[in-house]
Structures are given as C-alpha cells and as structure tokens.
Amino acid sequence: DAKTTQPTSMDCAEGRAANLPCNHSTISGNEYVYWYRQIHSQGPQYIIHGLKNNETNEMASLIITEDRKSSTLILPHATLRDTAVYYCIVVIQGAQKLVFGQGTRLTINP
Amino acid sequence: GAVVSQHPSWVICKSGTSVKIECRSLDFQATTMFWYRQFPKQSLMLMATSNEGSKATYEQGVEKDKFLINHASLTLSTLTVTSAHPEDSSFYICSARDYYRGFQETQYFGPGTRLLVL
C-alpha cells in the first residue's frame, strides 16, 4: 500500500472549516483514499473514502487532486467534538487490512 | 448501521490469568474481522485477521499461541489473551468488514477494550 504523509497536529477554531491535508504521492490506480478518526480512548470511526472523484457525506467532504497524489478532508463547520486524531489511509482494492500511520491530531478551539 | 460492539470495555486481571474479549457485529454479517492493539500515544497496530470458519492470520511478531482468536460465527470473534503479563496491558480494538455491504475495504471498529494486567 502507498505511504501517506500527514501533519502531526493542527488547530482550528470552532465553527470554521477544518482542512486536513494528506500526501500520497505513490498512490496507484487501484488504491482508495480512506479517512478515519479516533476520538480519545475510543475505536476509530469511519469518515469517508474515495477513488478519484470528490466525495461528500454527512460528516465531511473529501477532495482528491486530479493526479491523485494528495487529498484534503474538509470538516465544514468544526465543533469541539471533532477534536480527534485523523488518519488518512491508502487501501488497495480488495485489500485485507488497513495500515495506520501516526495521523493528524486536530484540536478544535472554542 | 455498521455497528460493532466489544465486551468487556475494560478489564483488570492478575498476571498469569487469561482474558477473553468479544467482538460482535450487530447489524451485519462480518465475513472478516480484525484485531488491533494500541499502546499509549501510539497508533493502531494490526495483530491478526480472522475469516469466519478458518484460522486467523497473524501479523509478524504476534504470538498466535498467546493471542488466541476464534471467529466461529458471522457476527462474533473472540480474542483470548492467555497467561497475561503486565506488558500485555493495552487497548485492544476489533473491526469488522462486511463484504456484502458494497465497499469491501471499509472496516467498522468497535469501541475498544482496555486491558490492565497487574
């Protein structure tokens, strides 16, 4: 699976949009970009995933660049409950397992 | 949908005893379940993958005789930590994947079980 690079930490003001970048420059054509988050002392929560088109659901939007070498997770109106570690994971189609990196620790400030 | 539960949520045991952790998919059938371990301030590390009705596949460095995994039904997998020692104290998290839900790569995680071995 392709390796991902994320900033170690980010801060965002409550009510503003949180934009979390992820670099996956070695991604191949059959690899999906997945985002999970882990709130303190809980199991990871699935957020969103995509292949090459931008995706949106009730939690977030995923913007994937045209060359697919990077992506951005957008939380449109961040709340204090969005404080968590966010993991960007590249997963090959049909893969059996997820490999978690260190993720980005997002802190939402009041 | 896609709810995964774990029991117990936390457990304290004496060194040398065995501890069983259950992982259940509540609203779907999980053909594949995964067990992870997470130490403080670290990321999740995959321990093993289990497919219903077959033996688990362990990651390198994980002792299969110490961490027994059983996936006897499509909604239940168990992890037994045998002869637990203080270094086994960790946060154990399971996940489940529903092949028939559409995106077979998507895993849904349980809330985790915190194990403390005294």
Side-chain angles (χ1 to χ4, degrees), chain A residues 32 34 36 38 41-46 49 87 91-103 105, chain B residues 32 34 36 38 41-44 46 49 51 59 91 93 97 103-112 114:
Chain A
Y32 290 89
Y34 270 76
Y36 286 82
Q38 186 178 25
S41 295
Q42 297 182 25
Q45 177 187 23
Y46 165 75
H49 76 279
Y87 297 99
V91 183
I92 195 167
Q93 192 171 17
Q96 275 277 57
K97 56 189 182 182
L98 300 177
V99 178
F100 284 80
Q102 294 305 307
R105 183 172 297 279
Chain B
T32 306
F34 304 83
Y36 294 80
Q38 185 175 33
K41 299 190 185 301
Q42 294 186 22
S43 190
L44 283 77
L46 179 66
T49 302
N51 294 296
E59 294 298 301
F91 191 46
I93 309 167
R97 195 178 73 182
F103 289 98
Q104 58 177 305
E105 295 79 13
T106 302
Q107 292 182 28
Y108 299 94
F109 288 80
R114 195 162 298 282

Side-chain angles (χ1 to χ4, degrees), chain A residues 8-99:
Chain A
T8 303
S9 64
M10 292 182 65
D11 284 84
C12 179
E14 188 178 17
R16 305 297 293 269
N19 298 283
L20 292 90
C22 179
N23 186 292
H24 31 79
S25 59
T26 60
I27 193 170
S28 60
N30 60 348
E31 289 182 308
Y32 290 89
V33 179
Y34 270 76
W35 284 83
Y36 286 82
R37 72 180 182 185
Q38 186 178 25
I39 295 170
H40 183 61
S41 295
Q42 297 182 25
Q45 177 187 23
Y46 165 75
I47 301 174
I48 199 168
H49 76 279
L51 183 62
K52 53 184 178 181
N53 297 323
N54 297 337
E55 302 287 344
T56 296
N57 62 20
E58 64 279 4
M59 288 184 68
S61 294
L62 174 60
I63 308 298
I64 302 175
T65 58
E66 194 169 339
D67 63 8
R68 301 186 70 236
K69 293 185 177 181
S70 65
S71 61
T72 301
L73 178 75
I74 301 173
L75 307 178
H77 304 287
T79 70
L80 297 179
R81 287 179 292 183
D82 292 322
T83 292
V85 178
Y86 287 77
Y87 297 99
C88 168
I89 304 171
V90 171
V91 183
I92 195 167
Q93 192 171 17
Q96 275 277 57
K97 56 189 182 182
L98 300 177
V99 178

